[in-house]
Amino acid sequence: MPKASLPGKCFDVAIIGAGVVGCAMARRFTLDGARVVVLEKAADVLDGASKANSAILHTGFDATPGSLEQTCIAHGYREYLEIHESLGLPLLKTGAMVLAWDDDQLAKLDGLVAKAHENGVMDVAMRSRAEILAQEPQLASHLMGGFVVPSEYLIDPWASAHSYILQALANGAELHRDSEVLAGQFDGSEWLIETSKGTVCSKQVINCAGLYGDVIDQRLLGKSSFIIKPRKGQFVVFDKPASDLIKAVILPVPTATTKGVVIFRTIFGNLAVGPTAEEQTSRTDTSTEAGTLRELRAKGIKMLPALEKYEVTTVYAGLRPATEFQDYQINQDATQNYITVGGIRSTGLSAALGIARHVASLNTRSGFNGKTITAPICPNPDRLSNYHPRDWQSPDHGGIICHCELVTRREIEAALDGPMPPATLQGLKRRTRVCMGRCQGFYCTGPLSEITKGRINPPIGVTDE
Ligand SMILES: Cc1cc2nc3c(=O)[nH]c(=O)nc-3n(C[C@H](O)[C@H](O)[C@H](O)COP(=O)(O)OP(=O)(O)OC[C@H]3O[C@@H](n4cnc5c(N)ncnc54)[C@H](O)[C@@H]3O)c2cc1C
């Protein structure tokens, strides 16, 4: 084993993976006084499961009562509401509705409401067909009934995770990108972790590798107690005017494996239908399939007939890090100062802050020399919500570069000059929404390639990402 590449420096905690869970973990442990290093194999953060989801802050009303997932969602949800203002993160209270379209689904509603109450989500309440149609008049008339979940929100899935890791960095943590963890050895008190960029010493390891959680366990412990079974979710995104069709998130009656096909607005002002739930072996294949997308669109139109008139802006797919188990797989090997945070399947955005709290509550605090940070530095977040003030509305923004998403030159430059600059076009998109609108970059690629010259790899305009 080679010597640590940062001689004399041994971190308290090494976090493997900078998805939303790793970012929240870095924030939690930094604020708790640990010297934290985050090791990410991709060129940018949020390049795994966290790059594509529905971006709903769930209450956990439908989680299995008493499960780890339900506890972490409840705590994560609460903490997001507590910190979003200080971090400048957007929050849009839309509420959700779980709707029944046939007799079987109708028969399940009472049980789901009882489950929500058992989970402490007490404002969940039954509504008659007429009440639902009065609230959401565009829904199809074959609707049979449903219930409301008033406290579900829309959030920005990227700005939230960026803020968590930026707060960790501003308060002393280190992030190493392009640093794939290849192996590791524990000598009884310290880990020597071998990465593609050199070795790192740390007293503890937290595996937050998402779709590679089992691979990291194998590499460092020689075994894993679960197998990742990637589950793809495809989405169809409609043009922004379609978002006027509904206010609430429209949920179907869930099954054992999926929350089902949802109709939801995004905080960026679109309306989307999805996701599917398709098991696959590839941990990287996020391709979409024309037939599946047509089916999704048809399902959306069946529930919301006026959707037929609206054009599709784009399509995308994400991969859930599912396992053979229903619940999260958070396991501690206390003898080796090692914690696995695996199988954070379909609720990790909502639960991330709660997962981080849960992991911090395991006996990992011993040995931290730093003090708990009570007044942490709060970094400037990306402000991209369509429902909140945007940079283009203020003077001196330096001109608009992306006219579909109204992204200013100042926003792009701030991202490129920021403490965690994007290394790829995908990373720049997540920080600014440039190229994510109707033209998908057709018009702004020219000026964008000038502004980002030498700072984005591959250069914009050379490879169409
Ligand atoms: C279709 C879909 C819809 C969803 N909708 C919602 C929703 O509305 N609300 C919600 O709360 N949740 C939702 N989720 C779930 C949420 O997106 C996931 O639970 C969450 O993103 C998982 O994050 P993670 O950090 O565990 O994993 P990841 O995001 O995969 O992060 C793991 C990181 O580890 C890195 N890594 C892997 N191997 C190595 C290595 N060897 N060395 C270094 N780094 C490594 C990866 O590059 C990656 O960046 C949805 C998910 C999907 C797919």
Side-chain angles (χ1 to χ4, degrees):
M1 194 78 174
K3 279 206 175 325
S5 57
L6 295 166
K9 189 166 189 177
C10 195
F11 294 91
D12 292 320
V13 180
I15 293 165
I16 303 174
V20 66
V21 174
C23 292
M25 202 68 69
R27 171 182 174 272
R28 177 76 275 139
F29 276 84
T30 302
L31 300 189
D32 282 354
R35 287 167 307 165
V36 170
V37 64
V38 181
L39 304 170
E40 168 55 54
K41 79 170 172 182
D44 201 2
V45 302
L46 309 185
D47 199 54
S50 305
K51 74 177 156 196
N53 56 47
S54 316
I56 299 165
L57 183 69
H58 295 300
T59 53
F61 76 93
D62 58 348
T64 304
S67 63
L68 192 50
E69 180 179 31
Q70 187 265 322
T71 306
C72 291
I73 297 174
H75 291 164
Y77 174 93
R78 200 176 314 137
E79 188 168 348
Y80 189 91
L81 296 190
E82 279 164 19
I83 67 171
H84 84 277
E85 261 178 25
S86 66
L87 288 177
L89 291 172
L91 192 63
L92 187 68
K93 189 169 186 179
T94 57
M97 290 179 168
V98 176
L99 302 182
W101 301 91
D102 62 34
D103 286 328
D104 283 351
Q105 293 172 3
L106 199 62
K108 290 184 181 148
L109 294 181
D110 281 332
L112 288 168
V113 171
K115 188 183 196 184
H117 293 167
E118 199 181 339
N119 283 332
V121 189
M122 304 311 287
D123 56 359
V124 168
M126 290 295 275
R127 291 284 183 269
S128 68
R129 178 179 176 277
E131 285 169 323
I132 293 165
L133 288 175
Q135 205 174 319
E136 296 288 357
Q138 297 290 344
L139 288 170
S141 58
H142 68 284
L143 172 77
M144 296 188 72
F147 62 83
V148 289
V149 192
S151 304
E152 300 249 315
Y153 292 87
L154 305 180
I155 62 173
D156 179 337
W158 306 308
S160 47
H162 287 153
S163 279
Y164 305 157
I165 184 110
L166 284 171
Q167 190 169 46
L169 299 181
N171 291 281
E174 286 185 28
L175 166 67
H176 296 277
R177 293 184 265 177
D178 281 321
S179 298
E180 178 174 2
V181 171
L182 303 168
Q185 209 173 299
F186 185 62
D187 70 3
S189 62
E190 291 174 355
W191 277 94
L192 214 46
I193 304 162
E194 190 187 332
T195 81
S196 51
K197 280 241 181 109
T199 47
V200 173
C201 174
S202 176
K203 293 178 187 151
Q204 296 166 19
V205 168
I206 305 176
N207 167 7
C208 299
L211 291 157
Y212 293 82
D214 53 350
V215 173
I216 289 295
D217 276 0
Q218 288 286 356
R219 287 183 185 174
L220 272 68
L221 300 179
K223 59 178 185 207
S224 177
S225 57
F226 59 87
I227 302 164
I228 290 289
K229 295 172 177 283
R231 194 177 295 154
K232 184 184 280 185
Q234 302 188 44
F235 295 89
V236 178
V237 182
F238 290 84
D239 279 351
K240 293 194 175 184
S243 67
D244 290 338
L245 294 177
I246 50 158
K247 291 187 243 8
V249 172
I250 306 299
L251 298 161
V253 172
T255 69
T257 51
T258 172
K259 283 179 179 295
V261 173
V262 183
I263 306 179
F264 59 102
R265 289 188 281 159
T266 72
I267 199 124
F268 311 115
N270 293 92
L271 185 130
V273 178
T276 54
E278 306 157 55
E279 280 211 7
Q280 63 180 38
T281 50
S282 169
R283 298 172 196 247
T284 53
D285 177 6
T286 54
S287 59
T288 52
E289 199 270 315
T292 309
L293 296 170
R294 269 195 296 274
E295 270 173 38
L296 266 184
R297 182 171 175 274
K299 276 186 186 166
I301 291 169
K302 201 167 175 202
M303 292 186 272
L304 197 61
L307 200 52
E308 183 146 37
K309 296 198 294 270
Y310 294 87
E311 298 286 333
V312 170
T313 309
T314 189
V315 298
Y316 68 96
L319 300 180
R320 306 168 183 88
T323 68
E324 66 271 47
F325 303 104
Q326 178 92 6
D327 205 356
Y328 293 169
Q329 296 300 300
I330 302 182
N331 305 317
Q332 181 179 29
D333 182 341
T335 60
Q336 301 205 71
N337 293 354
Y338 184 99
I339 296 175
T340 302
V341 183
I344 313 298
R345 231 165 16 111
S346 46
T347 47
L349 178 66
S350 311
L353 296 166
I355 294 170
R357 270 198 185 274
H358 171 74
V359 172
S361 76
L362 303 174
N363 70 346
T364 50
R365 285 197 53 144
S366 57
F368 297 172
N369 294 324
K371 289 202 178 93
T372 303
I373 301 173
T374 48
I377 301 164
C378 291
N380 286 329
D382 316 321
R383 294 179 190 276
L384 306 176
S385 163
N386 204 52
Y387 300 93
H388 298 84
R390 286 281 311 273
D391 193 44
W392 64 270
Q393 293 161 314
S394 63
D396 307 326
H397 54 60
I400 292 173
I401 300 296
C402 170
H403 287 265
C404 301
E405 292 296 307
L406 298 169
V407 185
T408 66
R409 176 178 285 271
R410 183 162 65 187
E411 284 175 311
I412 296 166
E413 287 176 347
L416 293 169
D417 295 338
M420 190 178 63
T424 60
L425 174 57
Q426 293 301 335
L428 184 64
K429 286 180 176 182
R430 292 194 282 270
R431 284 166 182 78
T432 64
R433 287 199 58 75
V434 76
C435 301
M436 295 190 90
R438 189 66 172 88
C439 89
Q440 293 287 295
F442 185 81
Y443 290 107
C444 56
T445 301
L448 206 53
S449 69
E450 272 305 305
I451 300 171
T452 58
K453 205 169 186 175
R455 308 179 73 174
I456 293 282
N457 197 18
I460 292 172
V462 172
T463 302
D464 184 21
E465 277 198 80

